[in-house]
Amino acid sequence: MSSIKINLLLFSIVSICSCSGNSKQSTVENRDGQKLYTMQVMPYKTFAMDDNTSQTSAYFQLFTIDDTLRFTMYSNTAVRKNILIFDLSTGKVVDSVRLHKEGPNAIYNNVVAYYIRNMDSIYMYDYWQHTFILVNRKGEIVNRINLSEKFLAENSPEVTPSSPYPCMDMPIHRINNTFILQGMTQKVTDMKKVPTVTALCNLSDTAVSVRFVNSYPDIYGNIKNLFKHWGVFSYLMVSYDLNNKGEMVLSYHADDHISVYDIDSNTTRRYFAGYSKKDVISQMNDDRISDLLQTMECTQYANIHFDTYLNLYYRFVYHPFYDYDINDRDTQVQNLSIVILDSEFNKVGEYDLKEKTILGRGAFVTKEGLHIQTLSDDDDFMKFIVLKPIKL
């Protein structure tokens, strides 16, 4: 269980955050939307862990492998490092790729995410060096694609490049030869440059290029103060998902609207996707203890997930929570709700989750419904709350 405690400690550190300027009200008069859907709680979904695998993972993602949808997970422990492939119905491991911890094929801890094209072609991403590392089924490094020069601010005259940090709510997606890397902006040093949060990386054989897109909405205020007023993992990182039209649907954590970005046309549309009650969002100050207080006592929008089976979207929102002990991390868990949108981004429902979880970034959608990770009492299993959308 020591690995769980370490992961939870790291999670709590990066989750220390803050909130923006003045309290904000949406310009949309009807925050309730239509009440067409709610959620039904289903039995937990579990995946079996072995003795060398922790239930808390830095990264997992669904992939269709050999025409079958699989749950995949990156496991990095002191004993071994690998990508596990699970059967969704049984929750058991059916395949794996053993990654090397040492030697010429070593995958170091800067690698935080991956994209599985097939089991013999897996792109690992090193966030620190902005490098894709292509490995085969044996974990052997086939190629390295270093993009670090593309991320230098001096090489981007019009924008401040993004700083990608893929994780479960900011997964690596691929459209043709373009890989989507999501995160936050780099430090803003030139006020004339637009800060961006998305890197579109074209890895075609003929020309490798990176295009930086998607900036922060007005609620974030003066770009000079982004890092002063907003926490990194709480508000500056921007969650997203890809819909069936190849559009990016972005959830800025301080904004009650979502942004829908069309990659081909380079255009953005915005839609209200907020909770029915008024948001409580206030500015960060220099007192770190106060920052933690504001974290617990602020509204924070988070993950957004596209349901390809029902053409719905599920957006997470964490609510201000006051009944906690500042010295007890176990009490510092906010209540979570799900805002439900239809295919046209109309709000059609919301659901208040009864169970609390500190692992809400870990979520995915299957035919069975929306899965949200929660901590299991048994470290032999990774455990998920399952919510099935139902019509009212």
Side-chain angles (χ1 to χ4, degrees), residues 275-287:
Y275 191 68
S276 55
K277 295 181 181 178
K278 177 183 174 182
D279 297 337
V280 179
I281 301 179
S282 54
Q283 196 173 72
M284 181 170 74
N285 59 36
D286 296 330
D287 182 347

Side-chain angles (χ1 to χ4, degrees), residues 5 23 84 150 187 194 203 212 223 233 240 259 300 306 323 331 342 363 379:
K5 292 179 180 178
S23 295
L84 301 174
K150 308 289 185 183
K187 193 77 172 181
V194 177
L203 304 188
F212 299 105
I223 62 174
F233 278 80
Y240 91 103
S259 295
Q300 183 184 145
F306 175 61
D323 187 18
T331 68
D342 67 12
D379 201 27

Side-chain angles (χ1 to χ4, degrees), residues 36-210:
L36 304 181
Y37 284 88
T38 187
M39 292 290 194
Q40 178 181 352
V41 179
M42 306 299 289
Y44 291 108
K45 176 66 183 176
T46 59
F47 294 94
M49 305 287 105
D50 63 24
D51 292 339
N52 296 316
T53 306
S54 170
Q55 63 170 297
T56 54
S57 171
Y59 191 83
F60 58 69
Q61 191 173 351
L62 297 183
F63 286 99
T64 299
I65 302 172
D66 297 330
D67 299 323
T68 302
L69 187 64
R70 301 294 193 190
F71 175 81
T72 75
M73 175 182 133
Y74 184 38
S75 176
N76 182 11
T77 67
V79 177
R80 69 186 182 200
K81 181 179 296 189
N82 56 9
I83 297 174
L84 301 174
I85 315 297
F86 292 82
D87 182 280
L88 273 168
S89 59
T90 66
K92 296 181 179 180
V93 174
V94 294
D95 204 348
S96 66
V97 174
R98 186 70 175 266
L99 301 171
H100 300 267
K101 297 176 75 74
E102 299 176 343
N105 295 303
I107 298 296
Y108 298 110
N109 289 336
N110 291 336
V111 172
V112 294
Y114 57 87
Y115 179 88
I116 301 176
R117 188 170 185 177
N118 57 59
M119 289 301 292
D120 203 41
S121 182
I122 301 173
Y123 292 82
M124 312 294 297
Y125 182 68
D126 183 327
Y127 78 95
W128 189 253
Q129 299 186 47
H130 300 301
T131 297
F132 280 100
I133 304 169
L134 180 62
V135 302
N136 61 21
R137 175 179 278 277
K138 297 179 181 179
E140 298 167 336
I141 295 177
V142 178
N143 191 20
R144 294 178 186 269
I145 306 171
N146 192 320
L147 304 173
S148 56
E149 288 191 3
K150 308 289 185 183
F151 283 83
L152 295 175
E154 56 264 33
N155 293 337
S156 302
E158 296 180 355
V159 302
T160 297
S162 67
S163 180
Y165 193 93
C167 57
M168 281 89 77
D169 61 331
M170 299 179 291
I172 299 176
H173 281 298
R174 178 175 172 266
I175 302 176
N176 298 321
N177 290 320
T178 298
F179 286 78
I180 301 173
L181 295 179
Q182 186 71 0
M184 63 173 182
T185 185
Q186 293 183 24
K187 193 77 172 181
V188 177
T189 57
D190 187 342
M191 294 294 291
K192 296 179 181 179
K193 292 185 178 183
V194 177
T196 59
V197 301
T198 306
L200 302 177
C201 306
N202 188 318
L203 304 188
S204 64
D205 294 333
T206 55
V208 174
S209 63
V210 179

Side-chain angles (χ1 to χ4, degrees), residues 220-237:
Y220 282 82
N222 192 324
I223 62 174
K224 178 183 178 181
N225 297 320
L226 283 173
F227 285 83
K228 179 180 179 181
H229 289 167
W230 304 95
V232 171
F233 278 80
S234 52
Y235 287 100
L236 288 182
M237 291 290 188

Side-chain angles (χ1 to χ4, degrees), residues 287-354:
D287 182 347
R288 288 298 166 188
I289 295 179
S290 179
D291 293 346
L292 177 58
L293 298 178
Q294 290 181 353
T295 298
M296 294 304 301
E297 298 175 12
C298 287
T299 304
Q300 183 184 145
Y301 291 98
N303 317 25
I304 189 161
H305 299 276
F306 175 61
D307 186 335
T308 187
Y309 308 98
L310 298 176
N311 273 328
L312 296 174
Y313 298 86
Y314 312 124
R315 191 189 193 195
F316 292 17
V317 53
Y318 292 94
H319 300 293
F321 183 66
Y322 307 98
D323 187 18
Y324 63 92
D325 182 345
I326 193 172
N327 297 311
D328 185 354
R329 181 67 187 95
D330 291 340
T331 68
Q332 298 166 17
V333 187
Q334 291 168 286
N335 295 309
L336 172 63
S337 294
I338 313 296
V339 174
I340 306 171
L341 309 173
D342 67 12
S343 61
E344 301 299 320
F345 305 104
N346 300 301
K347 183 178 177 181
V348 292
E350 64 186 25
Y351 175 79
D352 299 326
L353 192 66
K354 306 300 185 293

Side-chain angles (χ1 to χ4, degrees), residues 242-294:
L242 204 65
N243 65 18
N244 55 2
K245 299 177 183 178
E247 298 171 322
M248 293 183 67
V249 183
L250 299 103
S251 175
Y252 292 88
H253 294 193
D255 192 8
D256 61 9
H257 284 60
I258 58 170
S259 295
V260 181
Y261 176 70
D262 187 308
I263 295 175
D264 291 334
S265 65
N266 192 31
T267 57
T268 299
R269 313 186 305 278
R270 283 172 51 78
Y271 301 91
F272 175 73
Y275 191 68
S276 55
K277 295 181 181 178
K278 177 183 174 182
D279 297 337
V280 179
I281 301 179
S282 54
Q283 196 173 72
M284 181 170 74
N285 59 36
D286 296 330
D287 182 347
R288 288 298 166 188
I289 295 179
S290 179
D291 293 346
L292 177 58
L293 298 178
Q294 290 181 353

Side-chain angles (χ1 to χ4, degrees), residues 2-17:
S2 61
S3 62
I4 296 177
K5 292 179 180 178
I6 292 172
N7 276 286
L8 290 179
L9 176 61
L10 291 173
F11 183 91
S12 66
I13 291 172
V14 300
S15 294
I16 290 178
C17 72

